[in-house]
Each structure stands twice: as C-alpha cells, then as structure tokens.
Amino acid sequence: MFFHIVLERNMQLHPRYFGRNLRENLVSKLMKDVEGTCSGRHGFVVAVTGIENIGKGLIRDGTGFVTFPVKYQCVVFRPFKGEILEAVVTMVNKMGFFAEAGPVQIFVSNHLIPDDMEFQSGDMPNYTTSDGSVKIQKDSEVRLKIIGTRVDATEIFCIGTIKDDFLGVINDPATV
Amino acid sequence: MSGEEEENAAELKIGDEFLKAKCLMNCEVALILDHKYEQLQQTSDDPTSQISQVFEKSLQYVKRFSRYKNPDAVRQVREILTRYQLTEFELCVLGNLCPETVEEAIAMVPSIKTRGRAQDDEAIEKMLNDLSLIKKFE
C-alpha cells in the first residue's frame, strides 16, 4: 500500500551551500538522498512531496558542517503481511513465479498456486489449468495476498499466495 | 510499534504509525507522481537522470492498476468511501481492488466484518454499488 507520511531526517550541509539558496539546496539534497531508498520500517520512499519544517541548524564541532533537522512529507510504498494487492508477473519457473508491485518483488511458490494449475515449460513458461482456461505467464496481472516479508538493508522482499478465494489472474495478456 | 511478527493487514495490525498515516489509492499516487514527473521535466534538461528506479517502477505500476483515471472520479471515490466509517487502510484496499460482490469485499478486507462494527451486508452492498456507479459515469 502507498502511504503519505511525514518523516524526519538530519541533513548535513557543507558551508559552501550557505546563502540565499540555502533552503533550495537543502531540499534538493534531501530529494537526492532519500528518494529511492528503502528501510524496513517505512518501506520504499517513492517521492518527497513537501517540506513541513526545517529546524535550526547546528554547527558541528571541527568541520563547519551544519546539521538541519528537516521534517518532510513523502509518498512511501510499504507492503504488509496479510495485504491483498495486484501485481505484474515478471518471471515464471518450475519453483513458482515472481511478480512486481511497484518497487517490491513478490515470490509465489508453486505450493501456493492452486493445485489444478500445472507448470508448462517452453519458451513462454507458464502455469495453466487442465482445461486451459486460466494461464499465468510473464506480464499476466495477478491479485495476490502477501503472507511474509523479508527486510534487508536496501530491499523488502515478499512471499505471496494465490491459493485463496478471489485471488489469481485478473487478465491474461494473450486475450487482451 | 509492535514487532514484525504480529503484523497482519487482515486484522489491521499495521503499526500505529501507518494506521494513523494517510493511505493513498493507486489512482491518487498516479496523480501525485505524474505531477511530480511533469515538474521535473520542466525544471531540468535531463529528467531521467534524476528519477530513481523506485519512482519509475511505482509510476508504471500505479498507471497500470489505476481504476479511475479522472481526478474528479478519484475525489468522489474517496468521498463516498469515507461515509462508511472505514479506516484509511480499508478504504484504499477497496478503492484499489474494486470488489464486485459483498463476499469478495469481505475476503479482500476481512477487518470490515470484525471489530464489532455495524457494517452489515446491505451497507457493504450499497457502498460497492456507489463505487461501480462512479466507474460507469467516468
């Protein structure tokens, strides 16, 4: 899910940026620093949308750098266990398939794909029901439920399932 | 915030910080990111160099999965859903997935039935009808 939240960050600024454009410099450095980053707590920072306030700067001993506490609003993407969302399939193999929902990667193991869907290899590997009516392949859109998340320093990785009511393929690229 | 193990969106356990935060539907994110993308294009000669992969992937994703394209419709969806005493998170899941039946809606957002709220099937059905009307007239 995407959220609009307020975060705080202490920005260190070199004295050469002081002057009339201090605020602009601070904001552009903030965007460069935080956009595209990911933390386990807040998820992926997609875009800074506004500045709430910039606190008083504090000169650091010995260096001349100044630290400003900056409160900013941003759009973040944070997946949650139990959340249901839509995703695009990016890769299919006999272990299961990978899908992407925005910046996050989700793996759906073949144990969590309905039992009536069989893996078919070939140049377009896919999972298909025995009657051929439903097919999951690259670029399919699926609705899945996140059942687990793993967080490391720069990425969040999810495990999902489509073995539940109202989950599975939304549309098939071949038929559209 | 409670520990990672206890997190469960189906029971609305998403941590205080996010429960109180403003959730965004995919269509709203699309409007925000599109606007930001345009701004970047105007202010710099080489906008692609300033755009992170996360931004690009998110923009592609929300454009693909936006149920409502027109800003007025997006506003109406939020307006209608806020009438039903939903939390922000529930509101956005419904707005994103647009379930068609009451059963589906409850499967998508199990928390609307729990927590002892007076959310009966009729109210949910009316809500889903209202949503599909917006879609029709967009």
Side-chain angles (χ1 to χ4, degrees):
Chain A
M1 177 71 66
F2 287 94
F3 293 86
H4 198 211
I5 58 172
V6 177
L7 293 178
E8 197 170 353
R9 183 183 171 87
N10 284 322
M11 297 287 303
Q12 285 221 24
L13 204 64
H14 191 274
R16 70 165 167 267
Y17 297 112
F18 298 170
R20 261 192 316 166
N21 294 331
L22 189 136
R23 195 187 156 93
E24 281 92 277
N25 285 325
L26 208 55
V27 173
S28 67
K29 186 171 189 301
L30 175 78
M31 289 182 176
K32 226 190 212 151
D33 283 4
V34 300
E35 283 183 0
T37 61
C38 171
S39 75
R41 189 159 167 206
H42 297 112
F44 295 88
V45 179
V46 180
V48 174
T49 53
I51 304 294
E52 287 255 294
N53 96 75
I54 297 178
K56 280 209 164 75
L58 200 74
I59 302 175
R60 308 241 57 98
D61 274 351
T63 61
F65 273 89
V66 169
T67 317
F68 293 92
V70 182
K71 268 195 179 164
Y72 59 97
Q73 301 156 339
C74 57
V75 175
V76 298
F77 183 84
R78 169 78 151 84
F80 286 98
K81 212 162 140 179
E83 185 183 341
I84 295 172
L85 44 74
E86 291 161 325
V88 183
V89 175
T90 52
M91 191 174 77
V92 178
N93 61 33
K94 67 177 196 304
M95 312 289 286
F97 66 83
F98 286 89
E100 251 177 26
V104 74
Q105 276 232 31
I106 303 156
F107 177 67
V108 178
S109 138
N110 57 11
H111 299 290
L112 297 169
I113 296 172
D115 295 327
D116 61 336
M117 296 193 90
E118 286 275 338
F119 178 69
Q120 319 275 336
S121 54
D123 52 338
M124 200 63 166
N126 60 73
Y127 282 88
T128 315
T129 51
S130 48
D131 61 352
S133 61
V134 183
K135 192 186 246 183
I136 296 174
Q137 59 187 24
K138 191 172 187 279
D139 273 335
S140 294
E141 293 175 359
V142 292
R143 184 192 273 176
L144 49 82
K145 181 154 104 188
I146 296 173
I147 54 168
T149 55
R150 195 197 71 207
V151 179
D152 62 33
T154 57
E155 212 168 9
I156 298 179
F157 188 79
C158 296
I159 301 293
T161 177
I162 56 166
K163 213 178 186 175
D164 214 336
D165 295 346
F166 302 106
L167 302 181
V169 180
I170 317 167
N171 83 46
D172 187 340
T175 59
V176 195
Chain B
M1 193 176 130
S2 55
E4 188 82 11
E5 281 76 34
E6 286 183 38
E7 187 175 278
N8 187 353
E11 295 164 24
L12 277 183
K13 286 184 186 150
I14 57 173
D16 244 10
E17 211 175 348
F18 284 102
L19 205 51
K20 285 182 194 137
K22 195 169 167 59
C23 285
L24 297 168
M25 287 182 277
N26 289 344
C27 43
E28 294 172 315
V29 178
L31 294 177
I32 296 173
L33 296 189
D34 246 350
H35 180 72
K36 179 143 180 151
Y37 188 74
E38 272 167 30
Q39 264 184 345
L40 272 178
Q41 269 181 328
Q42 281 166 7
T43 51
S44 81
D45 317 317
D46 186 16
T48 42
S49 68
Q50 287 206 26
I51 288 167
S52 66
Q53 216 195 0
V54 171
F55 186 96
E56 206 182 301
K57 281 191 170 172
S58 303
L59 185 58
Q60 269 173 18
Y61 173 71
V62 292
K63 278 195 166 166
R64 187 161 182 172
F65 290 103
S66 279
R67 299 292 176 142
Y68 309 93
K69 305 277 187 244
N70 147 357
D72 286 329
V74 175
R75 206 170 306 132
Q76 275 181 34
V77 171
R78 186 170 273 278
E79 217 180 279
I80 284 177
L81 286 173
T82 34
R83 284 184 216 150
Y84 291 89
Q85 294 149 19
L86 300 165
T87 61
E88 283 273 323
F89 189 81
E90 294 166 334
L91 187 154
C92 290
V93 173
L94 290 173
N96 280 346
L97 301 175
C98 289
E100 279 161 12
T101 61
V102 176
E103 244 188 323
E104 190 183 358
I106 295 169
M108 297 300 105
V109 194
S111 52
I112 49 177
K113 267 291 183 184
T114 55
R115 301 205 301 152
R117 281 184 305 177
Q119 208 62 276
D120 53 13
D121 289 4
E122 258 169 60
I124 299 174
E125 180 141 23
K126 182 165 183 313
M127 172 173 77
L128 299 180
N129 272 339
D130 290 352
L131 279 186
S132 63
L133 273 181
I134 302 180
K135 182 87 194 135
K136 229 178 267 170
F137 288 115
E138 195 186 5

